[in-house]
Amino acid sequence: MKLDLDSYFIGLENQLPAIRAGELHLFVVQDHEWIERIANFFAQQTRILYLVEAIASINERIHFATSYDTRTAELKRLKKYRAGTLVSALTNVAAPHDAIIFHIRANSSESFITFLFDDDGMSLLRDWARKNEKILIVLFEADPADRHIRSRIGRQATNCQSLNTLYQGQPDWRWDIHHWFDGMKIIQKELRLRIISPILTEVVHDIDQSNDAARLLSAEAPVYYVHNALDGSEVAPIEWLALEREDDWLQALKSWSDDAIVIGFFRGQTMQTLLRTVYEIRKTTGPFVRIYVRERDQAIRHHDERLLMQAGATIVLPYGLRFSQVVSLIENSIDWRFNKRLPEHFNDLIDLLVPEQLQGYLPTSEFAESSLQLAELAEKQGIDYTLIKAEPASGHTPLSILRSFKHRREGDLSTTDGNNVYFFLFACRASDADRALTFLFGLPIQNIFKSEERIHSLYLVTTCCNRLVEAGGPDFSEDLKQSNITVERHEDAYDRYFPRPKPVKSVRLR
């Protein structure tokens, strides 16, 4: 028994081996409609046993065409799943079927996901498929860009005949084949997919990456700008072309041209969204298109700027730069070319990005875990960081100091063990720590710290965090909810509100 993909993906003919009995294949898919497409395609070819959790609603399940030979079996939700029980039940219900589709969702019970991806569940399923000569397809409905999802599937890669992720890219869907074992060979591909009809999908081939394919206009190349890249008082040159939304570049920019586009970065926009936009433009259009990222109402930290350059940006136009200077820089970077190696997968960039949720106050155990994660990330990239342990000065309490700490962005963390306060500053050099702390507190640190210790090595950060976990501390999450937000006007200033002295009455001297 075997299943093939050739007849569904036009342009993939004879590029992948057939899926055969005794194999386990894992597909991590971002979209439920794609889950249904893949499952129905397999159901066209053989008898399918569909396994799904009993708690899944009708809309969360896969709907097969009535003409297909399929049967549904439900998995009861348990506090703990046992290998022997699962194998016995699977053997009983799967006997008349050639292939089994395991449908798992990101919001499935944590105990079942833990059993499959953190314990021995996947290796158990692999061994069962080999012993019983069954095809086993695991469809995991989740976002492949999620750091925890990638970590979990990565640990199970060796148990799978193939590991695949399918997600929405720009402009097309992406199918990343991380590995597909074919005898003594390993197949790895990054495919772009375009949906033609409910039953047909086309593989879109990359642009011709040869100099002969380039259509360069030099000074005559059009310059596009997204409306949010300019403020209301700025008037773009008459030859510039406006785009209402960022994703309008799909229709505007030509592949293998030297067109230019200006994108704004503003408060409220996530770095991951901007990074993906830049990466997709570069990936789709080639090395000659110029991509300018303009800081609108806040500065991009140096670490994130480096990631943008790796993703394909031409230059980051600094906050505070006059618009006339912006125009001048664009006009003087004609004939620019992206000469770096673009990462093969967008996830390679995401792995280097500081998670958005890692900012502000965290209880001691979470602070320790997050600080270690950030320190390891910084070490991997050769980036500086600073961990501060400080004793409050007379008249201050740990809670009052934590309330005064106005974190700037991702990677600025704080906590307390009840006696001392701790701060982790990602991408902060030792020489910049005083300046950074002054900005974050709005006053000299000598006024609030009696004594302090600063740490800049992974070994000492690990030691400090281990001691912090052992010591524990109060949880001030509720107390700090309202003070965990900062309004940032520009790179070096924060809004501060201090009580003003009462007006002094003038007194006439006689």
Side-chain angles (χ1 to χ4, degrees):
M1 176 59 207
K2 65 179 182 179
L3 302 175
D4 71 83
L5 298 171
D6 293 2
S7 58
Y8 185 75
F9 295 100
I10 299 173
L12 195 62
E13 293 82 0
N14 304 316
Q15 295 187 40
L16 290 179
I19 297 175
R20 299 183 181 278
E23 295 179 353
L24 167 64
H25 294 260
L26 174 59
F27 292 80
V28 184
V29 186
Q30 184 183 35
D31 180 70
H32 183 75
E33 289 187 12
W34 265 105
I35 287 275
E36 292 208 338
R37 286 192 187 98
I38 295 171
N40 275 274
F41 174 68
F42 289 139
Q44 290 178 18
Q45 304 178 56
T46 189
R47 293 173 295 175
I48 294 289
L49 173 66
Y50 172 51
L51 287 175
V52 63
E53 280 194 295
I55 60 172
S57 67
I58 294 298
N59 292 333
E60 291 173 330
R61 301 186 179 202
I62 296 173
H63 297 88
F64 292 94
T66 55
S67 58
Y68 300 154
D69 187 359
T70 62
R71 177 187 173 193
T72 299
E74 295 182 340
L75 291 165
K76 293 183 179 179
R77 187 170 189 172
L78 303 174
K79 290 184 178 180
K80 185 175 180 61
Y81 288 83
R82 301 184 183 279
T85 305
L86 181 63
V87 166
S88 176
L90 193 57
T91 302
N92 290 335
V93 298
H97 301 275
D98 301 315
I100 297 90
I101 290 180
F102 242 111
H103 182 199
I104 312 162
R105 296 164 296 112
N107 60 348
S108 293
S109 64
E110 183 61 27
S111 58
F112 185 59
I113 292 181
T114 299
F115 170 72
L116 281 182
F117 294 105
D118 297 340
D119 298 334
D120 299 325
M122 291 295 282
S123 62
L124 179 77
L125 292 177
R126 176 201 62 193
D127 295 342
W128 179 88
R130 289 176 179 172
K131 180 180 178 180
N132 292 273
E133 287 293 308
K134 302 289 185 181
I135 293 174
L136 191 51
I137 308 292
V138 177
L139 299 180
F140 189 13
E141 190 172 337
D143 184 1
D146 184 280
R147 190 182 301 269
H148 297 295
I149 298 295
R150 293 202 308 277
S151 175
R152 278 178 151 161
I153 65 176
R155 288 194 291 269
Q156 301 300 327
T158 56
N159 291 319
C160 307
Q161 187 74 15
S162 74
L163 173 58
N164 310 265
T165 55
L166 205 152
Y167 56 93
Q168 174 67 65
Q170 293 292 342
D172 305 305
W173 280 85
R174 301 300 173 96
W175 177 11
D176 293 344
I177 303 173
H178 300 274
H179 75 255
W180 195 306
F181 295 118
D182 181 18
M184 300 299 293
K185 298 187 299 181
I186 299 178
I187 298 173
Q188 293 179 305
K189 289 182 179 292
E190 183 178 331
L191 303 172
R192 293 164 52 204
L193 306 176
R194 186 169 298 158
I195 300 170
I196 300 175
S197 71
I199 60 172
L200 285 178
T201 300
E202 176 186 27
V203 175
V204 181
H205 297 287
D206 289 330
I207 57 176
D208 179 10
Q209 299 201 2
S210 63
N211 288 332
D212 293 338
R215 299 183 295 273
L216 307 182
L217 300 177
S218 194
E220 302 300 320
V223 177
Y224 299 91
Y225 68 95
V226 183
H227 273 302
N228 62 29
L230 278 63
D231 65 34
S233 63
E234 296 171 339
V235 179
I238 193 171
E239 65 272 13
W240 285 21
L241 304 170
L243 302 176
E244 289 293 333
R245 301 181 307 276
E246 281 186 7
D247 56 7
D248 286 346
W249 67 265
L250 296 171
Q251 290 75 40
L253 298 178
K254 296 177 288 295
S255 297
W256 214 245
S257 69
D258 56 348
D259 298 350
I261 183 171
V262 186
I263 303 169
F265 178 71
F266 47 89
R267 187 180 296 111
Q269 183 182 15
T270 67
M271 181 52 60
Q272 180 171 336
T273 300
L274 177 63
L275 199 64
R276 183 181 288 278
T277 299
V278 172
Y279 179 81
E280 295 291 356
I281 292 175
R282 179 62 62 209
K283 185 86 171 176
T284 304
T285 60
F288 294 106
V289 165
R290 292 169 287 147
I291 307 169
Y292 302 93
V293 178
R294 188 186 184 197
E295 299 172 344
R296 285 296 314 277
D297 55 5
Q298 64 178 343
I300 297 172
R301 88 162 81 205
H302 180 61
H303 165 66
D304 293 338
E305 184 175 333
R306 288 171 55 184
L307 290 181
L308 286 169
M309 304 302 280
Q310 290 182 48
T314 301
I315 190 173
V316 174
L317 301 168
Y319 172 79
L321 200 66
R322 295 195 307 273
F323 186 61
S324 60
Q325 295 173 305
V326 169
V327 175
S328 179
L329 279 172
I330 293 173
E331 290 177 347
N332 285 284
S333 56
I334 292 170
D335 298 330
W336 176 92
R337 175 175 181 166
F338 182 74
N339 291 314
K340 299 178 182 178
R341 180 184 176 276
L342 191 67
E344 187 173 350
H345 303 285
F346 179 66
N347 288 344
D348 296 338
L349 292 169
I350 293 297
D351 288 338
L352 304 177
L353 195 63
V354 177
E356 296 173 29
Q357 68 273 18
L358 296 188
Q359 56 180 307
Y361 171 80
L362 295 173
T364 50
S365 58
E366 294 179 32
F367 174 90
E369 180 183 354
S370 300
S371 295
L372 281 173
Q373 178 184 342
L374 291 173
E376 291 171 353
L377 178 64
E379 290 280 347
K380 181 179 179 181
Q381 301 178 65
I383 295 173
D384 295 311
Y385 53 90
T386 301
L387 174 64
I388 302 107
K389 175 184 178 182
E391 180 183 353
S394 178
H396 293 276
T397 65
L399 181 57
S400 67
I401 291 178
L402 291 174
R403 280 187 171 136
S404 301
F405 179 74
K406 305 300 181 184
H407 64 276
R408 300 170 72 179
R409 47 176 74 97
E410 298 90 343
D412 293 344
L413 308 177
S414 64
T415 196
T416 178
D417 60 8
N419 298 312
N420 300 301
V421 287
Y422 299 78
F423 305 96
F424 187 92
L425 306 179
F426 183 82
C428 177
R429 295 174 295 187
S431 58
D432 294 333
D434 281 338
R435 178 173 172 268
L437 288 169
T438 300
F439 292 147
L440 293 169
F441 283 103
L443 70 163
I445 57 175
Q446 294 83 355
N447 296 349
I448 55 176
F449 295 161
K450 180 179 179 180
S451 62
E452 61 171 300
E453 177 186 358
R454 297 183 184 179
I455 299 171
H456 309 282
S457 75
L458 182 58
Y459 173 76
L460 293 177
V461 167
T462 304
T463 302
C464 180
C465 288
N466 289 339
R467 290 174 179 170
L468 181 59
V469 171
E470 292 175 3
D475 186 350
F476 289 134
S477 299
E478 291 298 321
D479 303 84
L480 295 169
K481 271 187 176 179
Q482 296 304 316
S483 59
N484 206 26
I485 300 172
T486 298
V487 178
E488 184 180 0
R489 281 192 176 148
H490 56 77
E491 174 69 7
D492 297 338
Y494 293 84
D495 285 344
R496 293 284 188 268
Y497 300 95
F498 299 102
R500 296 186 178 183
K502 295 180 179 179
V504 177
K505 294 181 180 179
S506 61
V507 178
R508 178 176 293 179
L509 298 176
R510 294 175 182 256

